[in-house]
Each structure stands twice: as structure tokens, then as C-alpha cells.
Amino acid sequence: MVENVLEMHSIAKSFGQTQALNGINFELKSGEIHALLGENGAGKSTLIKVLGGIHQPDRGEILINGNTVHIKGVHDAQAHGIGVIHQEIVLVPYLTVAENIFLGREPVTKLGLIDRKQMNAEAQEMVKELGLNLDVNTLVGELSVAHQQLVEIVKAISFNIKILVMDEPTSSLSDEEVKHLFVTMERLRQNGVSMIYISHKFEELFTITDRITIIRDGTYVGTVNTKNSSPDELVAMMVGRELKNFYTRTYSRQDEVVLKVDHLSKQNVFEDISFSVHQGEILGFSGLMGAGRSELMLAIFGAYGYDNGSVSLNGEELKIKSCSDAIEKGIALVPEDRKDQGLVLLNSVGFNMTLSELKHLMKNKLIVSEEKRSALISAYIKSLNIKTASPDAEVSSLSGGNQQKVVLAKWLATNPKLLILDEPTRGVDVGAKSEIYSIINELAKQGLAIILVSSELPEIINMCDSVCVMREGKLTAQLAQSELTQENIMRYATGG
Ligand SMILES: Nc1ncnc2c1ncn2[C@@H]1O[C@H](COP(=O)(O)OP(=O)(O)OP(=O)(O)O)[C@@H](O)[C@H]1O
Ligand SMILES: [Mg+2]
């Protein structure tokens, strides 16, 4: 038996002027979990798409079990035992979980009809195997992003695969679900499945992987044994320099209250929530998935109603009926799910950034001042370090993390009084994360009131003036900065 189930040699791929991959080498041993690590736009997803038959490489060679192969399409990849969970969800929203898992290979009855009973039973079994609590009769479109991602995983595993590739599978999973996933990965490993794992979360890489290959700007930097490596070494290899002062925070809370939420309730979602945010303050929201944080934020933003209670901005009670009311009043929300709520993927980077801001860029009532618009766009591309071929490039051509930065730019451009950030650094690399933290800090210093919803405890602890913890729709604690520890937050989040 050959030691390497997969070898990729000198893979190159460009898109127009963008050289996404330029001589990448990658080897995967049998039963190994091997991570691919690199900054946003480094070329990770592109390499995976070459392996998965979505892109054809311009140069290079792929060997499976020692034999050269040409992967011409997704079916070829499947035939070679390769299963890929892509960064973007590709399920069909109006089909059920079971239908999605079995799409195109549904079990049939003797009469040639789809055997729904069989299909549902098998799908339910697979879901159970993974330790998931999910009804396979649910329409995929009704599931949260996290659950859709889990369905992708079940689907990929359901093919009899030898190589499983996961492109940021945990970016929207809760800690508990990540644990389940890791158990599943260990089980798959024992069954001889080799895995390629992409994640920006170092903690995960050090927990689950055997080796890590680092790529930078489409080139191969090196491969390390995880247990002999360290976060500092990885960062230096990824970024090409050391990152000092990862979190920037100068505390700048002022006395003026910007947002005041009183006894806000929505039946079965959140209950009796009261808090306020001051000028220059960053107020954190922590809690497990499903605690009601995102729904609460959407309610404040007018995208989701509430039954009782009130919301005031700068002392004036708001009667917000829609998001445009909220934007008009000076509230901006960077949503959790950028695909669904954040971006118009087929439009350009520049278009998306200035989408919410068009009114203020008007020269007169009819014409958008092109000069102002492009100045604004260039300023954000530069300050957020957005990697794009040009401001006119389609947003869908950007890497995942760079799309996230476009969402952020879009809302910053509205010049808000209150900025709500829901998981702003999800899927963002360490370098860009640090940039985003210093931007958030700068905005707070300028007097903006900021709400930061995040499941990353270090982020919450290091960036916030104080933190509201939610559990099952209720506010269980508001912790002062001096009380912010992981244990404290988790205790109120879990009720333990
Ligand atoms: N279809 C495409 N058309 C044009 N450019 C593309 C396309 N796909 C990727 N690129 C470009 O190739 C480069 C690598 O992108 P890729 O998605 O592989 O990055 P990544 O390492 O997966 O980043 P992230 O961590 O943000 O997901 C980026 O500059 C991206 O804009
Ligand atoms: Mg990617």
C-alpha cells in the first residue's frame, strides 16, 4: 500500500489577472487529518476546488494512491472517493434534509418510485450516527446556517469516501457541535478515511490535526507536524511576519446613553431583556447557539418584531417597522450570515459597499457622485485590506473572509450611531481579525456605541467593556470587565 493517498504537485491556477495558486504541493497520508492554513485569499478554497473537480488546474499533477489522475468534474472526484464540503452551502433549500442527502441517488421501490420510507429511515440513521438532533423531514431552507452545514457533512460522509475535504466546516457550529464533529472525524479516521481540514481556528487545528500545510498568496510555504508546532510559528508562516498586539483596546466609554432597551420580549424567543449601550462603549453578547442573541439584535434593527417593551436611541423611543427605518435612525447591523443577509453576490465589491449609503452619496437627488463613491470604496479596500482584483470585481469572486470584510465596509459606510456586529470575525484570518479589532476600537474611540455578538470568548473578553450573557432567551447576567473570564461567562451561558 502506498503511504500517500493523495499527492498534489506544483498546482497552478489563475483567474484572469489573479494568480490564485502558483506551485502548491500537498501530500495526504492514509488515515491522516491534514490542515490547510493561510490568510483570507491565500488560495485554500481554490486548491480544494481543483481537487473536487470544480476548477481545472493550469499546471500541476494530482496522484491518487500513486496513480496520476485527471479530475474533470465533480463526478470524477466522487468516483475517486473524494468528498468535499465547500465553504459555501450548496444544498437545495426547498427539499428536505433526507432529499438533499440522497439527491440523484434516491432508493427506489420495486415499481421504480422513490422509496421515501427507506430514504428517510436511512437519512435519520446517518444523522443519529453523527450525534445530531435533526429531523430529516425538515426543509433545508428552514434550518439555521449551522444546521445546513451539518447536513452538508452528513451528505458528504454518506458517499463511500476515502478522502474527505472540509472547507471551514465549523465556522458556524457551536462548541458542542464541533465536539460531535471531531468524534465523527476520529471514527472516520479509524475507518481509513483521510481528511483535509480548513479552519482559521488554531485551537481546532491543535486538537484534531496531524500535520498542517501553510500557503501564502498562492504559494507553498511549508508543512509542519502539529505537535511540534506552535501558534506563533503558524502565524509567522502564514503572514510572513510576527503579529504583535493582537487585540487593540483603549477603553473609551462615555456617560451618554445611546441605546436603551427596556423589558423587550418576543414570545418563545427572548424575554424581558433590558440593557443600555453608551457612547464609546463596546457591549458584548455571549451565549450558546440558540440563546436568542441574533434574534434580539434583529428585533432592535427592525428585521424581526417584538411583542412588548421599548427601544430608544439617544433618548427617543423608536418605532421601527423595517430595516430602512433603523438605518435612517442610525443603526447598522453586520449580520451573522453574510450570504443570506449581507451581500448581493453577483454585484461588484464597490456596489455592495455603497449599497446602504447611496442616499448620502447623491450629488443631487438623482445622480450618485461617482467621485465620492469611488473615494469611499478605495478607502475601505485599503483600510480593511480587502483582497480584490478591482472594486468592480464580483463579490462572489472574493475569498470567504474578504467577502466578510465587504459586509463590514458596507455598514461602516452608513456612518451609524449604533453599530451591531454579529460574529464579525467568523471565517476571517488572524491578520485580518487583528485589523478588524483595531477598527472596532477606533470606532469606539470616536464615540460610536457598539454591540459585539460573538461566540469567541477571547474576543469578547478582550474587546468589551462589559458583557451580557443570554441563555434560552433570557439575560442571565451582565458582567463587568473585571468579571470577564471564560468560566464566568460559560457558567451563565449554560446555567451550570
Ligand atoms: N471564481 C473566481 N474568479 C476570480 N477570482 C477568484 C475566483 N475564485 C477565487 N478567486 C481569487 O483567488 C484568490 C484565492 O481565493 P480562495 O477562495 O482560494 O482563498 P481562501 O484561501 O479560501 O480564503 P478564505 O480564507 O477567505 O476562504 C483570491 O484572491 C480570490 O479573490
Ligand atoms: Mg476559502
Side-chain angles (χ1 to χ4, degrees), residues 102 107 116-127 136:
F102 283 99
R116 296 203 149 263
K117 223 169 123 199
Q118 175 76 14
M119 180 170 85
N120 287 345
E122 276 185 44
Q124 198 65 62
E125 185 57 37
M126 289 177 197
V127 166
V136 298

Side-chain angles (χ1 to χ4, degrees), residues 15 21 93 127 151 158 283 306 312 368 384 399 414 419 434 438 464:
F15 301 100
L21 301 175
V127 166
V151 175
S158 74
L283 178 66
Y306 51 85
S312 330
V368 176
L384 294 178
S399 77
T414 63
L419 176 64
S434 181
S438 82
C464 295

